Amino acid sequence: MGPTARAQFVYNRRRRRSGGRHAVEEASDEEEQRQDSSSSSEDEEDEAEASGEEVADDDDDEEEEEEEEAAVEPAAEEDPAAAAAGEKRGGRKGRITISLKKVCKVCKRTGHEAGFKGAVYIDCPMKPCFLCKMPGHTTLTCPHRVAMEHGVIPAPRRNTNTSLDYVFQSQIKGKISMVKPKFLIPNQLESGNIKFHQRRVTCLEFHPTNNNVLLSGDKKGLLGVWDYVKLHEKITYDSVHSCILNSMKIDNANDGILYTASSDGTISCTDLDTGIGSPLLNLNPNGWNGPSSWRMIYGMDLNTDKGLILVADNFGFLYFLDRRSKTRIGHPILIHKKGSKVTTLHCSPARPEVLLSSGNDHYARIWDTRKLEANSPLASLAHGRVVNSGYFSPQSGNKILTTCQDNRIRVWDYIFGDLQSPSREIVHSHDFNRHLTPFKAEWDPKDYTETVAVVGRYISENYNGVALHPIDFIDTSSGKLLAEVMDPDITTISPVNKLHPRDDILATGSSRSIFIWKPKTEDELTEERTKQKAKEYVYGSGSQKKTNGKHDNSSDDDSDGDSGRKNKKAKKTRFTCTTKGKGKSKV
DNA sequence: ACCTCATGTCCCC
DNA sequence: TGGGGACCCTGAGG
């Protein structure tokens, strides 16, 4: 590639990135603004730009500079007026430099650009770190990303060696198996279901008894029932709800019945075989009267002991439903700030009368449902932002795991201990984005030690030139990343994840698609270990300790240019679900 | 290879 | 305290 060709390439690339917007700046050699910081008072932006570049171009200063020079020539060609002006001046001064300013699409300032460079996202230096939200560094240099593996860093453990800890230990010791079962990460893509749903998947649930059945809900309210072993056996019911399906629960006592909660303000109970449903609750009996009065249901859980369904709306109220009589019990109780959304409800698996709610008012709260009144929580757990979810640990119910929009996963080790502050805060990228289903870190229901949690990751990582958003397995007792699960075929973000209650299977909802993951077979693992050994032998030990062999984070291959993000050379999809067994509708 | 839009929360006025 | 504009890694459909 000759210099002119390269210049043109750089120019085109830049135009593409900045969406056609560009600023042409004229400057003579003497006035090179890079050098001249003292006389730049005429332009505030220049100052910001200079300081911005210092941060942003940390790693590839030279390259940027080269591009700047290279971009001069085509810029003059492209804009005749600028070129003419340049010539005029140039004639006078002898030589002229026209530099094409970079325009940042994030802050609209010039001098730097945010966006993907290959598979690596370059931050806007004017914004705080996208991962930990602290100013002074970018996501690429965030200590939470660099210091430990991929944005997961533990906060120091509190409440250690207290008497409560002792009680906790002795209390759960009888319940947990002494031999920790071998933990297998389902990191091998078993099957992908393309275009099963028409809109993004919002919730997933495994059938509690029928091992191979996965239930899924989407933004349109479509309910999917899918046997992922007999792939053709899939059914969709489109008239259960009219908009976002937020939560699904199956009663263990009657596992043919599915309860669903939706933003259409209804709770529905659907027969899984026939798809015939009946509404249990409708919070909008008078229909649409504008957004200020429309009630939506996000949080829902079952109290199987009492045959109750607990439901919470987007105005902060909790409702009780009797499962059998299908009637409301009592009056709604305000459990979160009035007018704020309750995001999840969870009844403790060990003590079903203990309820955990999380809400948009930046709190998660623990309640005793036997004596429930507004403003009477057993505890209020403060968070930095909106709490996406809060769950009791799956076995003892003694731990709490919350996901908050301040990019932190919080863990409380013992609910009867000091709840003032979490036992741990784990910085993890799961930002809010209006286009994504909120991320929810969930416990592995099979893990008797109650440590493993799964959560999708927002920011991407460069995996051999492809930007992928993995699904993280986190050890909540240390904050360490146990595994990151990804596949080159899945380039979309995966906010919805569900672990199978008994098998080592992970279901993922990513955009419109559903994926099933299984652990690698023993043969595959052996092969991988062999490769890993060979790699270590070649490169020396120490740096190669990733759980997933596919991944080489140090790779900074920009040869793909802009298209690096899209996986153009992705290997063939292992399985693509055809339109066979098209969905049927409710009668 | 563009453009448009859906749309929840934050933050500032 | 409330309304309105802004918004960083979206993704489907046109």
Side-chain angles (χ1 to χ4, degrees):
Chain A
M1 193 190 269
T4 320
R6 173 164 163 75
Q8 190 65 54
F9 168 70
V10 168
Y11 174 64
N12 286 340
R13 196 169 69 162
R14 188 162 292 154
R15 287 243 309 175
R16 253 181 287 137
R17 279 213 214 115
S18 58
R21 271 196 316 271
H22 63 278
V24 177
E25 187 209 47
E26 300 168 43
S28 68
D29 273 353
E30 300 83 32
E31 294 167 26
E32 190 65 53
Q33 48 117 354
R34 229 174 246 276
Q35 312 287 332
D36 186 6
S37 57
S38 57
S39 68
S40 66
S41 55
E42 98 270 4
D43 191 350
E44 236 180 69
E45 270 183 14
D46 279 351
E47 260 178 51
E49 168 190 308
S51 66
E53 277 189 3
E54 244 170 57
V55 185
D57 300 340
D58 224 14
D59 44 357
D60 53 3
D61 223 38
E62 278 159 319
E63 197 200 324
E64 289 293 330
E65 214 139 344
E66 186 197 317
E67 285 187 15
E68 191 110 20
E69 295 289 339
V72 167
E73 202 182 324
E77 279 170 19
E78 189 74 17
D79 189 338
E87 261 165 35
K88 210 173 153 193
R89 279 212 193 179
R92 209 171 348 113
K93 289 230 176 186
R95 197 151 74 90
I96 178 154
T97 306
I98 300 173
S99 67
L100 186 66
K101 273 195 181 178
K102 296 173 275 188
V103 180
C104 175
K105 66 180 179 187
V106 175
C107 70
K108 309 290 187 286
R109 285 171 186 263
T110 54
H112 64 270
E113 268 180 308
F116 275 99
K117 196 171 192 180
V120 178
Y121 191 90
I122 307 297
D123 271 10
C124 169
M126 299 296 144
K127 296 278 178 175
C129 170
F130 193 60
L131 176 56
C132 73
K133 309 292 180 194
M134 304 302 276
H137 63 267
T138 62
T139 313
L140 277 176
T141 56
C142 178
H144 295 279
R145 181 165 179 158
V146 176
M148 294 197 60
E149 298 176 83
H150 310 290
V152 179
I153 196 167
R157 182 172 142 77
R158 298 189 189 90
N159 309 337
T160 40
N161 301 323
T162 63
S163 53
L164 279 170
D165 240 41
Y166 177 78
V167 174
F168 169 53
Q169 289 300 334
S170 55
Q171 195 178 35
I172 64 165
K173 256 182 185 161
K175 289 192 175 184
I176 63 170
S177 139
M178 294 313 286
V179 182
K180 191 175 176 180
K182 193 179 168 192
F183 186 73
L184 292 170
I185 303 284
N187 53 1
Q188 186 84 353
L189 190 58
E190 177 75 10
S191 55
N193 180 324
I194 313 298
K195 298 192 179 181
F196 180 33
H197 285 276
Q198 293 196 339
R199 292 292 168 195
R200 66 167 202 250
V201 174
T202 53
C203 63
L204 290 173
E205 200 75 36
F206 282 101
H207 194 281
T209 52
N210 199 340
N211 252 12
N212 305 326
V213 171
L214 180 69
L215 306 155
S216 57
D218 74 12
K219 202 171 152 291
K220 276 267 189 285
L222 190 84
L223 168 66
V225 185
W226 186 37
D227 186 327
Y228 53 87
V229 171
K230 299 173 210 151
L231 289 162
H232 56 281
E233 286 190 19
K234 65 176 188 174
I235 305 162
T236 54
Y237 301 117
D238 61 6
S239 48
V240 180
H241 290 289
S242 58
C243 63
I244 314 178
L245 218 165
N246 290 312
S247 181
M248 292 187 285
K249 287 277 148 50
I250 291 178
D251 189 350
N252 284 348
N254 184 357
D255 59 20
I257 297 289
L258 175 74
Y259 297 97
T260 49
S262 164
S263 289
D264 63 12
T266 66
I267 298 288
S268 190
C269 125
T270 305
D271 186 308
L272 284 176
D273 291 327
T274 63
I276 296 171
S278 57
L280 282 185
L281 173 72
N282 183 4
L283 294 181
N284 302 300
N286 301 321
W288 177 260
N289 291 306
S292 58
S293 63
W294 184 259
R295 289 181 185 267
M296 300 186 267
I297 304 173
Y298 286 84
M300 177 185 67
D301 202 10
L302 309 177
N303 178 338
T304 39
D305 278 14
K306 298 263 165 61
L308 288 176
I309 303 167
L310 290 79
V311 176
D313 69 9
N314 58 329
F315 290 96
F317 286 95
L318 174 72
Y319 306 78
F320 287 96
L321 285 175
D322 186 283
R323 202 186 56 212
R324 280 172 286 267
S325 67
K326 301 187 177 183
T327 50
R328 255 158 80 169
I329 298 171
H331 52 91
I333 297 153
L334 188 69
I335 55 167
H336 282 274
K337 187 181 166 187
K338 197 169 187 180
S340 74
K341 181 166 94 184
V342 180
T343 50
T344 58
L345 291 179
H346 189 219
C347 295
S348 165
R351 291 164 287 267
E353 70 278 4
V354 179
L355 172 72
L356 176 66
S357 67
S358 44
N360 269 18
D361 61 353
H362 303 194
Y363 281 97
R365 295 205 169 96
I366 305 171
W367 307 85
D368 184 341
T369 51
R370 292 168 302 185
K371 38 184 181 180
L372 199 61
E373 295 166 18
N375 304 318
S376 66
L378 298 175
S380 273
L381 314 176
H383 288 69
R385 294 261 183 114
V386 167
V387 190
N388 284 348
S389 67
Y391 299 109
F392 287 114
S393 53
Q395 311 287 334
S396 69
N398 283 337
K399 298 184 183 183
I400 284 175
L401 174 72
T402 66
T403 310
C404 179
Q405 287 182 10
D406 64 0
N407 264 357
R408 276 145 184 88
I409 289 167
R410 288 175 175 79
V411 186
W412 281 264
D413 279 337
Y414 190 52
I415 56 164
F416 300 110
D418 175 21
L419 296 175
Q420 278 296 306
S421 56
S423 309
R424 258 170 310 287
E425 282 183 8
I426 302 162
V427 174
H428 177 266
S429 173
H430 50 254
D431 262 79
F432 169 78
N433 179 320
R434 67 180 147 160
H435 310 294
L436 300 173
T437 306
F439 289 87
K440 291 169 181 166
E442 293 190 18
W443 298 101
D444 179 0
K446 302 176 290 297
D447 177 21
Y448 278 82
T449 64
E450 304 189 319
T451 52
V452 179
V454 66
V455 60
R457 197 192 302 171
Y458 193 136
I459 48 172
S460 60
E461 212 68 61
N462 178 5
Y463 297 99
N464 298 321
V466 185
L468 299 177
H469 309 266
I471 298 148
D472 292 328
F473 282 75
I474 294 173
D475 180 338
T476 58
S477 65
S478 67
K480 270 193 180 161
L481 190 65
L482 293 169
E484 41 186 9
V485 171
M486 87 293 277
D487 188 283
D489 288 339
I490 308 173
T491 52
T492 48
I493 296 170
S494 309
V496 187
N497 294 288
K498 202 79 182 184
L499 285 162
H500 196 282
R502 288 170 301 278
D503 299 336
D504 292 307
I505 289 177
L506 166 70
T508 292
S510 188
S511 186
R512 288 166 53 182
S513 307
I514 299 170
F515 300 95
I516 300 288
W517 307 80
K518 285 185 179 173
K520 286 185 177 151
T521 62
E522 208 48 55
D523 288 351
E524 286 166 329
L525 282 172
T526 314
E527 192 189 339
E528 202 165 86
R529 271 188 225 114
T530 317
K531 276 187 188 167
Q532 196 73 19
K533 278 249 170 73
K535 219 172 171 184
E536 275 170 28
Y537 180 73
V538 174
Y539 296 109
S541 59
S543 58
Q544 311 286 326
K545 55 177 181 183
K546 298 284 180 281
T547 42
N548 196 317
K550 286 182 200 173
H551 164 207
D552 179 6
N553 194 38
S554 61
S555 156
D556 194 16
D557 182 12
D558 194 20
S559 57
D560 272 1
D562 269 350
S563 57
R565 200 182 153 215
K566 301 285 174 205
N567 181 23
K568 57 179 178 186
K569 277 186 188 171
K571 60 179 179 290
K572 270 266 186 289
T573 312
R574 287 182 196 82
F575 167 76
T576 307
C577 202
T578 56
T579 49
K580 209 163 44 169
K582 211 176 161 190
K584 68 181 177 189
S585 291
K586 200 197 97 171
V587 268

